Structures are given as structure tokens and as C-alpha cells.
């Protein structure tokens, strides 16, 4: 097991005890044919299943509406080749009408007031509007991005919009890469500096054949008050194994499976 994690310093973490289940793009129940990921219905399904934490993604439409959507374009989800950035909110609403309904970031925050959102800023143009949108809800938002630049831009926008507390945040690829290198050569000062910028490390268990989540990384993160969340974990045996190793959260498409499993751990 990893070292005991200190009491989380940000309100985002205080909604429940670890281990946390982050419903990846909401929840699409197995066999469902009438809703897709990141839709209003998918987030509602995750909430109904008992999820406190929902992981989602943010793009912005051509008319400036921040929407929960993963891909750059609509091809995979809605069968339309256009980019999200090239359609209006009205056009996207029509496309998503039979797929669970489009969900804006503002609607998500207001319609699900008890949910903690883990938001991945997917597009550079989305960073500032995402930050402004979450400012009034910053105690229940974690902002992340593969790009540390986008992540920091969203955090700055939230602060400029009057956020009472900084949204929680997890590391982008550049920070994670530097951290793993520093950790590998036991550069403790560099590790401490890099971890001081984040509340969580949200990472895959491995990159190709290279392990990322190791007992030593878990212990180091916990010593600095940082949680480890692993994505995307859908197999129950993998969930059990990772929780045995001491990770603090699972990002999963199968929140319906992970939630009762995690509840037994927290009891």
C-alpha cells in the first residue's frame, strides 16, 4: 500500500473519502443505444448510479459555448465530419438530440450541484471560457489538460473571474514527464517543486511497456499530499489490484461496477 495520504487540502476532495470513482465521460449503461458519452443523459446516469465525481472534456463551439465533448470533431459520436469548433451550439444540439442531449459546462454545473467535475480542457480556445465558467463553482471543480499551458490558462481565468478558491488541478504531460525523470534520478527538490503545483496525478498505469504507477511514485505523491488517479480502468480485477497498490482514484467507464467496489474499501 502507499503511504497514508494527508487530509486533502482542496474542497473538491472532501465530498467523499478515497478511493474515488471518477465516472469517465459520465456513464453509458451497458447495452444502451440511445445515449452517448458526455451527454446530459450520461452524466445523469452517473449521478443516478451514485457517482460523486464525473470526468469530462471541454470544447467550445463556433459561437462561444463551452460544451462537454471529447473529440475535436463530431464524426465518432454523431456521424458528422465537422469539428466542434466549426458548429454552432444550436447545430450541435440538433445532432445530439437523439443521443442523450448536448450538455454545456454551465448546464452541468447548475443541473448537478452535488457533483464534483473533473474537467479536461481539450482545445486552446476553451481554456479561458472554461476558467470563467467554473469560477463560481471552483470548490467542486478540478481542472486538467494534457497541455500545462491550457491548464494554467484556465486556472488564471478562474482567478480573474473571482473564484473564491483556486480550482483543484492535476498535472499535464510536461509536468508528468519532468516529474517522472526527476523521480527516477531521486532529485527530491525537483520532485517537491513539481508536485507543489498540483493536487493530483491523473495517469495511465503504464505507457507502452514503461510502468508509470509504481509503489515508489504512490508513496512519493502521498508524502506531498498529492493523490494518484489511474485512467481508464474498466476491468474489476484491475480495479482491485490498483486499489490494493494504494491508488486514490479510478477513472472508469464502468462506474456502476467501480462504485460498489470502492464503497467496500471505504467502509
Amino acid at each position: 500500500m502507499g503511504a497514508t495520504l494527508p487530509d486533502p487540502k482542496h474542497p473538491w476532495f472532501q465530498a467523499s473519502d478515497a478511493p474515488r470513482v471518477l465516472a469517465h465521460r459520465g456513464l453509458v449503461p451497458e447495452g444502451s443505444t440511445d445515449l452517448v458519452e458526455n451527454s446530459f443523459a450520461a452524466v445523469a446516469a452517473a449521478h443516478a448510479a451514485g457517482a460523486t465525481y464525473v470526468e469530462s472534456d471541454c470544447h467550445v463551439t463556433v459561437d462561444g459555448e463551452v460544451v462537454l465533448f471529447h473529440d475535436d470533431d463530431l464524426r465518432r459520436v454523431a456521424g458528422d465530419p465537422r469539428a466542434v469548433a466549426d458548429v454552432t451550439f444550436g447545430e450541435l444540439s440538433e445532432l445530439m438530440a437523439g443521443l442523450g442531449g448536448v450538455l454545456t459546462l454551465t448546464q452541468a454545473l447548475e443541473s448537478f450541484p452535488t457533483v464534483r467535475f473533473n474537467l479536461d480542457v481539450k482545445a486552446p480556445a476553451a481554456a479561458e471560457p472554461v476558467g470563467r465558467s467554473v469560477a463560481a463553482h471552483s470548490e467542486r471543480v478540478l481542472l486538467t489538460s494534457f497541455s500545462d499551458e491550457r491548464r494554467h490558462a484556465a486556472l488564471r481565468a478562474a482567478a480573474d473571474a473571482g473564484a473564491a478558491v483556486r480550482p483543484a488541478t492535476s498535472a499535464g504531460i510536461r509536468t508528468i514527464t519532468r516529474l517522472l525523470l526527476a523521480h527516477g534520478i531521486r532529485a527530491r527538490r525537483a520532485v517537491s517543486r513539481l508536485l507543489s503545483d498540483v493536487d493530483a496525478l491523473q495517469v495511465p498505469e503504464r505507457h507502452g511497456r514503461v510502468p508509470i504507477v509504481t509503489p515508489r511514485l504512490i508513496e512519493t505523491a502521498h508524502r506531498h499530499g498529492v493523490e494518484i488517479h489511474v485512467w481508464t480502468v474498466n476491468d474489476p480485477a484491475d480495479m482491485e489490484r490498483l486499489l490494493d497498490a494504494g491508488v486514490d482514484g479510478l477513472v472508469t467507464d464502468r462506474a456502476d461496477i467501480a462504485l460498489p467496489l470502492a464503497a467496500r474499501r471505504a467502509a
Side-chain angles (χ1 to χ4, degrees):
M1 294 287 288
T4 301
L5 188 68
D7 290 336
K9 54 184 176 293
H10 192 281
W12 188 89
F13 298 87
Q14 295 171 3
S16 72
D17 294 328
R20 309 179 199 287
V21 173
L22 285 72
H24 186 231
R25 309 178 194 173
L27 174 63
V28 178
E30 191 170 14
S32 176
T33 60
D34 58 351
L35 66 93
V36 298
E37 64 188 41
N38 279 331
S39 62
F40 189 101
V43 175
H47 182 251
T52 299
Y53 297 95
V54 170
E55 186 276 347
S56 192
D57 314 277
C58 294
H59 278 279
V60 63
T61 63
V62 70
D63 49 351
E65 194 72 60
V66 178
V67 292
L68 303 193
F69 214 88
H70 177 271
D71 298 357
D72 292 338
D73 62 52
L74 308 171
R75 190 184 309 273
R76 180 177 62 87
V77 171
D80 189 307
R82 289 177 295 175
V84 177
D86 292 336
V87 300
T88 66
F89 176 67
E91 290 170 327
L92 185 57
S93 296
E94 289 183 10
L95 287 168
M96 292 288 290
L99 300 172
V102 68
L103 183 58
T104 71
L105 177 53
T106 297
Q107 288 171 336
L109 292 166
E110 293 179 351
S111 299
F112 303 97
T114 62
V115 169
R116 260 53 173 180
F117 283 94
N118 191 111
L119 300 172
D120 185 349
V121 183
K122 287 295 185 187
E128 291 191 9
V130 167
R132 292 194 298 269
S133 296
V134 306
H137 308 272
S138 55
E139 75 286 350
R140 59 189 186 95
V141 170
L142 185 150
L143 291 177
T144 189
S145 177
F146 284 135
S147 163
D148 283 296
E149 289 79 7
R150 289 200 296 269
R151 174 173 70 91
H152 285 129
L155 290 169
R156 286 194 300 271
D160 291 344
V165 297
R166 173 183 67 80
T169 188
S170 68
I173 289 177
R174 185 178 62 186
T175 295
I176 291 170
T177 301
R178 291 177 175 177
L179 173 66
L180 293 175
L181 290 172
H183 191 250
I185 63 173
R186 300 181 185 271
R188 294 183 178 180
R189 289 185 180 179
V191 168
S192 295
R193 175 175 53 80
L194 290 162
L195 288 176
S196 69
D197 179 52
V198 297
D199 303 287
L201 297 175
Q202 297 181 334
V203 292
E205 183 178 5
R206 60 182 60 250
H207 179 68
R209 296 184 178 182
V210 179
I212 295 176
V213 178
T214 63
R216 192 164 73 88
L217 180 67
I218 295 170
E219 182 178 4
T220 297
H222 286 182
R223 190 165 61 248
H224 290 81
V226 172
E227 292 199 355
I228 300 280
H229 303 159
V230 184
W231 52 265
T232 302
V233 187
N234 293 331
D235 182 80
D238 289 337
M239 295 176 188
E240 295 275 15
R241 178 175 52 78
L242 287 163
L243 294 178
D244 284 342
V247 306
D248 310 287
L250 302 171
V251 183
T252 178
D253 298 317
R254 297 306 309 270
D256 51 337
I257 294 174
L259 283 164
L261 187 153
R264 291 195 297 270
R265 300 287 185 128

Coordinates of all heavy atoms in Angstrom, one line a residue, residues 18-81:
A18 N -11.5 8.6 -0.1 CA -10.8 7.8 -1.1 C -11.1 6.3 -0.7 O -11.3 6.0 0.5 CB -9.3 8.1 -1.1
P19 N -11.1 5.4 -1.6 CA -10.8 5.6 -3.1 C -12.0 6.3 -3.8 O -13.2 6.0 -3.5 CB -10.6 4.2 -3.6 CG -11.4 3.3 -2.7 CD -11.3 4.0 -1.3
R20 N -11.7 7.1 -4.8 CA -12.7 7.9 -5.5 C -12.9 7.2 -6.9 O -12.0 6.6 -7.5 CB -12.2 9.3 -5.8 CG -11.7 10.0 -4.5 CD -11.2 11.4 -4.8 NE -10.4 11.8 -3.7 CZ -10.9 12.1 -2.5 NH1 -12.2 12.1 -2.3 NH2 -10.1 12.4 -1.5
V21 N -14.2 7.2 -7.3 CA -14.5 6.7 -8.6 C -14.9 7.9 -9.5 O -15.8 8.7 -9.1 CB -15.7 5.7 -8.5 CG1 -16.2 5.4 -9.9 CG2 -15.3 4.5 -7.8
L22 N -14.1 8.1 -10.6 CA -14.4 9.2 -11.5 C -15.1 8.6 -12.7 O -14.5 7.9 -13.5 CB -13.1 9.9 -11.9 CG -12.5 10.9 -10.8 CD1 -11.8 10.1 -9.7 CD2 -11.4 11.7 -11.5
A23 N -16.4 8.9 -12.9 CA -17.2 8.4 -14.0 C -16.7 9.0 -15.3 O -16.9 10.2 -15.5 CB -18.6 8.7 -13.7
H24 N -16.0 8.3 -16.1 CA -15.3 8.7 -17.3 C -16.4 9.1 -18.4 O -17.1 8.3 -18.9 CB -14.4 7.6 -17.8 CG -13.6 8.0 -19.0 ND1 -13.5 7.2 -20.1 CD2 -12.7 9.0 -19.1 CE1 -12.6 7.8 -20.9 NE2 -12.2 8.9 -20.4
R25 N -16.5 10.4 -18.6 CA -17.5 11.0 -19.5 C -18.9 10.6 -19.2 O -19.8 10.4 -20.0 CB -17.1 10.5 -21.0 CG -15.7 10.7 -21.4 CD -15.4 10.2 -22.8 NE -14.0 10.1 -23.0 CZ -13.4 9.6 -24.0 NH1 -14.1 9.1 -25.0 NH2 -12.1 9.6 -24.2
G26 N -19.1 10.5 -17.9 CA -20.4 10.1 -17.4 C -20.5 8.6 -17.3 O -19.6 7.9 -17.1
L27 N -21.7 8.1 -17.6 CA -21.9 6.6 -17.6 C -22.9 6.3 -18.7 O -24.0 6.8 -18.8 CB -22.5 6.2 -16.3 CG -22.9 4.7 -16.2 CD1 -21.7 3.8 -16.4 CD2 -23.6 4.4 -14.8
V28 N -22.4 5.4 -19.6 CA -23.3 4.9 -20.7 C -23.6 3.4 -20.3 O -22.7 2.6 -20.4 CB -22.7 4.9 -22.1 CG1 -23.6 4.3 -23.1 CG2 -22.3 6.4 -22.4
P29 N -24.8 3.2 -19.7 CA -25.1 1.8 -19.3 C -24.9 0.8 -20.4 O -25.1 1.0 -21.5 CB -26.6 1.9 -18.9 CG -26.8 3.3 -18.5 CD -25.9 4.1 -19.5
E30 N -24.4 -0.4 -20.0 CA -24.1 -1.4 -21.0 C -25.3 -1.8 -21.7 O -26.4 -2.0 -21.2 CB -23.5 -2.7 -20.2 CG -22.9 -3.7 -21.2 CD -22.2 -4.8 -20.4 OE1 -22.3 -4.9 -19.2 OE2 -21.4 -5.6 -21.1
G31 N -25.2 -1.9 -23.0 CA -26.3 -2.2 -23.9 C -27.2 -1.0 -24.3 O -28.1 -1.2 -25.1
S32 N -26.9 0.2 -23.8 CA -27.6 1.4 -24.1 C -27.4 1.8 -25.6 O -26.3 1.8 -26.1 CB -27.3 2.5 -23.2 OG -28.0 3.7 -23.6
T33 N -28.4 2.1 -26.3 CA -28.3 2.5 -27.7 C -28.8 4.0 -27.9 O -28.8 4.4 -29.1 CB -29.1 1.6 -28.6 OG1 -30.5 1.6 -28.2 CG2 -28.5 0.2 -28.5
D34 N -29.3 4.6 -26.9 CA -30.0 5.9 -27.1 C -29.3 7.0 -26.4 O -29.8 8.1 -26.2 CB -31.4 5.8 -26.6 CG -31.6 5.4 -25.2 OD1 -30.5 5.1 -24.5 OD2 -32.7 5.5 -24.6
L35 N -28.0 6.8 -25.9 CA -27.2 7.9 -25.3 C -25.8 7.7 -25.6 O -25.3 6.5 -25.7 CB -27.6 8.2 -23.9 CG -27.2 7.1 -22.8 CD1 -25.8 7.3 -22.3 CD2 -28.2 7.0 -21.7
V36 N -25.0 8.8 -25.6 CA -23.5 8.7 -25.8 C -22.8 9.4 -24.7 O -23.4 10.1 -23.8 CB -23.1 9.3 -27.1 CG1 -23.8 8.6 -28.3 CG2 -23.5 10.8 -27.2
E37 N -21.5 9.2 -24.6 CA -20.7 9.7 -23.6 C -20.8 11.3 -23.6 O -21.1 11.9 -24.6 CB -19.2 9.4 -23.9 CG -18.8 10.0 -25.3 CD -17.4 9.5 -25.7 OE1 -17.1 8.3 -25.6 OE2 -16.6 10.3 -26.2
N38 N -20.6 11.8 -22.4 CA -20.5 13.3 -22.2 C -21.9 14.0 -22.5 O -22.0 15.2 -22.5 CB -19.5 14.0 -23.1 CG -18.1 13.9 -22.4 OD1 -17.9 13.8 -21.2 ND2 -17.0 13.8 -23.3
S39 N -22.9 13.2 -22.7 CA -24.2 13.8 -22.9 C -24.9 14.1 -21.6 O -24.4 13.7 -20.5 CB -25.1 12.9 -23.7 OG -25.3 11.6 -23.0
F40 N -26.0 14.9 -21.6 CA -26.7 15.2 -20.4 C -27.2 13.9 -19.7 O -27.0 13.7 -18.5 CB -27.9 16.0 -20.7 CG -28.6 16.6 -19.5 CD1 -28.4 17.9 -19.0 CD2 -29.5 15.7 -18.7 CE1 -29.1 18.3 -17.9 CE2 -30.1 16.2 -17.6 CZ -29.9 17.5 -17.2
A41 N -27.7 12.9 -20.6 CA -28.2 11.7 -20.0 C -27.1 10.8 -19.4 O -27.3 10.1 -18.5 CB -28.9 10.9 -21.1
A42 N -25.9 10.9 -20.0 CA -24.7 10.1 -19.5 C -24.3 10.6 -18.1 O -24.0 9.8 -17.2 CB -23.6 10.1 -20.5
V43 N -24.3 11.9 -18.0 CA -23.9 12.5 -16.6 C -25.0 12.2 -15.6 O -24.8 11.9 -14.5 CB -23.7 14.0 -16.8 CG1 -23.4 14.6 -15.4 CG2 -22.5 14.3 -17.6
A44 N -26.3 12.3 -16.1 CA -27.4 12.0 -15.2 C -27.4 10.5 -14.8 O -27.7 10.2 -13.6 CB -28.7 12.3 -15.9
A45 N -27.0 9.6 -15.7 CA -26.9 8.2 -15.4 C -25.8 7.9 -14.3 O -25.9 7.1 -13.4 CB -26.6 7.3 -16.6
A46 N -24.6 8.6 -14.5 CA -23.6 8.5 -13.5 C -24.0 9.0 -12.1 O -23.8 8.4 -11.1 CB -22.3 9.3 -14.0
H47 N -24.7 10.1 -12.1 CA -25.2 10.7 -10.9 C -26.2 9.7 -10.2 O -26.2 9.5 -9.0 CB -25.9 12.0 -11.2 CG -26.4 12.7 -10.0 ND1 -27.7 12.9 -9.7 CD2 -25.8 13.3 -8.9 CE1 -27.9 13.5 -8.6 NE2 -26.7 13.8 -8.1
A48 N -27.1 9.1 -11.0 CA -28.1 8.2 -10.5 C -27.5 6.9 -10.0 O -28.0 6.3 -9.0 CB -29.1 7.8 -11.6
A49 N -26.3 6.6 -10.5 CA -25.6 5.4 -10.1 C -24.8 5.6 -8.8 O -24.3 4.7 -8.1 CB -24.6 4.9 -11.1
G50 N -24.8 6.9 -8.3 CA -24.1 7.3 -7.1 C -22.8 7.9 -7.2 O -22.0 8.1 -6.3
A51 N -22.4 8.3 -8.5 CA -21.1 8.9 -8.7 C -21.1 10.3 -8.1 O -21.9 11.1 -8.4 CB -20.8 8.9 -10.2
T52 N -20.1 10.6 -7.3 CA -19.8 11.9 -6.8 C -18.9 12.7 -7.7 O -19.1 13.9 -7.8 CB -19.1 11.8 -5.4 OG1 -20.0 11.2 -4.5 CG2 -18.8 13.2 -4.9
Y53 N -18.1 12.0 -8.5 CA -17.1 12.6 -9.4 C -17.4 12.2 -10.8 O -17.5 11.0 -11.1 CB -15.7 12.2 -9.0 CG -15.3 12.6 -7.6 CD1 -15.4 11.8 -6.5 CD2 -14.7 13.9 -7.4 CE1 -15.1 12.2 -5.2 CE2 -14.4 14.3 -6.1 CZ -14.6 13.4 -5.0 OH -14.2 13.8 -3.7
V54 N -17.4 13.2 -11.7 CA -17.6 12.9 -13.1 C -16.5 13.6 -13.9 O -16.2 14.8 -13.7 CB -19.0 13.5 -13.6 CG1 -19.0 13.4 -15.1 CG2 -20.1 12.7 -13.0
E55 N -15.8 12.7 -14.6 CA -14.7 13.2 -15.5 C -15.3 13.6 -16.9 O -16.1 12.8 -17.4 CB -13.6 12.2 -15.7 CG -12.4 12.6 -16.5 CD -12.5 12.6 -18.0 OE1 -13.5 11.9 -18.5 OE2 -11.7 13.2 -18.7
S56 N -15.0 14.8 -17.4 CA -15.5 15.1 -18.7 C -14.5 16.0 -19.4 O -13.4 16.3 -18.9 CB -16.8 15.9 -18.6 OG -17.5 16.0 -19.8
D57 N -14.8 16.5 -20.6 CA -13.9 17.2 -21.5 C -14.6 18.4 -22.0 O -15.8 18.4 -22.2 CB -13.5 16.3 -22.7 CG -13.2 14.9 -22.2 OD1 -12.0 14.7 -21.9 OD2 -14.0 14.0 -22.3
C58 N -13.8 19.4 -22.3 CA -14.4 20.7 -22.7 C -13.9 21.2 -24.1 O -12.7 21.3 -24.3 CB -14.1 21.8 -21.7 SG -14.9 21.5 -20.1
H59 N -14.8 21.4 -25.0 CA -14.5 22.1 -26.3 C -15.4 23.4 -26.3 O -16.3 23.5 -25.5 CB -14.8 21.2 -27.4 CG -13.8 20.3 -27.8 ND1 -12.6 20.6 -28.5 CD2 -13.6 19.0 -27.5 CE1 -11.9 19.6 -28.7 NE2 -12.4 18.5 -28.0
V60 N -15.2 24.2 -27.3 CA -16.0 25.4 -27.4 C -16.5 25.5 -28.9 O -15.8 25.2 -29.8 CB -15.2 26.7 -27.0 CG1 -14.0 26.9 -28.0 CG2 -16.1 27.9 -27.0
T61 N -17.8 25.8 -29.0 CA -18.5 25.9 -30.3 C -18.1 27.2 -31.0 O -17.5 28.1 -30.4 CB -20.0 25.8 -30.2 OG1 -20.4 26.9 -29.5 CG2 -20.4 24.5 -29.5
V62 N -18.4 27.3 -32.3 CA -18.0 28.5 -33.1 C -18.7 29.7 -32.5 O -18.1 30.8 -32.6 CB -18.4 28.3 -34.5 CG1 -19.9 28.3 -34.8 CG2 -17.7 29.3 -35.4
D63 N -19.8 29.6 -31.8 CA -20.5 30.8 -31.2 C -20.1 30.9 -29.7 O -20.8 31.6 -29.0 CB -22.0 30.8 -31.5 CG -22.7 29.5 -31.1 OD1 -21.9 28.5 -30.9 OD2 -23.9 29.4 -31.1
G64 N -19.1 30.2 -29.2 CA -18.6 30.5 -27.9 C -19.1 29.7 -26.8 O -18.9 30.1 -25.6
E65 N -19.9 28.7 -27.0 CA -20.5 27.9 -25.9 C -19.6 26.8 -25.5 O -19.2 26.0 -26.4 CB -21.8 27.3 -26.4 CG -22.7 26.8 -25.2 CD -23.3 27.9 -24.3 OE1 -24.0 28.7 -24.9 OE2 -22.9 27.9 -23.1
V66 N -19.2 26.7 -24.2 CA -18.4 25.6 -23.8 C -19.3 24.4 -23.6 O -20.3 24.4 -22.9 CB -17.7 25.9 -22.4 CG1 -16.9 24.7 -21.9 CG2 -16.8 27.1 -22.6
V67 N -18.9 23.3 -24.3 CA -19.7 22.0 -24.2 C -18.9 20.9 -23.7 O -17.6 20.9 -23.9 CB -20.3 21.7 -25.6 CG1 -21.4 22.7 -26.0 CG2 -19.3 21.6 -26.7
L68 N -19.5 19.9 -23.1 CA -18.8 18.7 -22.7 C -18.7 17.8 -23.9 O -19.7 17.2 -24.4 CB -19.6 18.0 -21.6 CG -19.8 18.8 -20.3 CD1 -20.2 17.9 -19.2 CD2 -18.5 19.6 -19.9
F69 N -17.5 17.6 -24.4 CA -17.3 16.8 -25.6 C -15.8 16.4 -25.7 O -15.0 17.2 -25.4 CB -17.7 17.6 -26.9 CG -18.3 16.8 -28.0 CD1 -19.6 16.5 -28.1 CD2 -17.4 16.2 -29.0 CE1 -20.2 15.8 -29.1 CE2 -18.0 15.5 -30.0 CZ -19.3 15.2 -30.1
H70 N -15.5 15.2 -26.0 CA -14.2 14.7 -26.0 C -13.4 15.0 -27.3 O -12.3 15.6 -27.3 CB -14.1 13.2 -25.7 CG -12.7 12.7 -25.7 ND1 -12.1 12.2 -26.8 CD2 -11.8 12.6 -24.7 CE1 -10.9 11.8 -26.6 NE2 -10.7 12.0 -25.3
D71 N -14.0 14.5 -28.4 CA -13.2 14.6 -29.7 C -13.2 16.0 -30.2 O -14.1 16.8 -30.0 CB -13.9 13.6 -30.7 CG -13.8 12.2 -30.3 OD1 -13.3 11.9 -29.2 OD2 -14.4 11.4 -31.0
D72 N -12.2 16.2 -31.1 CA -12.2 17.5 -31.8 C -13.3 17.6 -32.8 O -13.8 18.7 -33.1 CB -10.9 17.7 -32.6 CG -9.7 17.8 -31.7 OD1 -9.8 18.2 -30.5 OD2 -8.5 17.5 -32.2
D73 N -13.8 16.5 -33.4 CA -14.8 16.6 -34.4 C -16.0 15.7 -33.9 O -15.9 15.0 -32.9 CB -14.3 16.2 -35.7 CG -13.8 14.7 -35.8 OD1 -14.5 13.8 -35.4 OD2 -12.7 14.5 -36.3
L74 N -17.1 15.7 -34.7 CA -18.3 15.0 -34.4 C -18.5 13.6 -35.0 O -19.5 13.0 -34.9 CB -19.5 15.9 -34.8 CG -19.5 17.3 -34.3 CD1 -20.5 18.2 -34.9 CD2 -19.6 17.4 -32.8
R75 N -17.5 13.2 -35.8 CA -17.6 12.0 -36.6 C -17.9 10.8 -35.8 O -18.9 10.0 -36.0 CB -16.3 11.8 -37.4 CG -16.4 10.7 -38.4 CD -15.0 10.5 -39.1 NE -14.4 11.7 -39.6 CZ -14.7 12.3 -40.7 NH1 -15.5 11.6 -41.6 NH2 -14.1 13.4 -41.1
R76 N -17.1 10.5 -34.7 CA -17.3 9.2 -34.0 C -18.6 9.2 -33.2 O -19.3 8.2 -33.2 CB -16.1 9.0 -33.0 CG -16.2 7.7 -32.2 CD -15.0 7.6 -31.3 NE -14.9 8.6 -30.3 CZ -15.4 8.7 -29.1 NH1 -16.2 7.7 -28.7 NH2 -15.2 9.7 -28.3
V77 N -19.0 10.3 -32.6 CA -20.1 10.4 -31.7 C -21.4 10.6 -32.5 O -22.5 10.0 -32.2 CB -20.0 11.5 -30.6 CG1 -21.2 11.7 -29.8 CG2 -18.8 11.1 -29.7
A78 N -21.4 11.5 -33.5 CA -22.7 11.9 -34.1 C -22.7 11.6 -35.6 O -23.6 12.0 -36.3 CB -22.9 13.4 -33.8
G79 N -21.6 11.1 -36.2 CA -21.6 10.8 -37.6 C -21.5 12.0 -38.5 O -21.8 11.9 -39.7
D80 N -20.9 13.1 -38.0 CA -20.8 14.3 -38.7 C -19.3 14.7 -38.8 O -18.6 14.7 -37.7 CB -21.6 15.4 -38.0 CG -21.7 16.7 -38.8 OD1 -20.6 17.2 -39.3 OD2 -22.8 17.2 -39.0
P81 N -18.7 14.9 -39.9 CA -17.3 15.2 -40.0 C -16.8 16.5 -39.5 O -15.6 16.7 -39.4 CB -17.0 15.0 -41.5 CG -18.3 15.5 -42.2 CD -19.4 14.9 -41.3

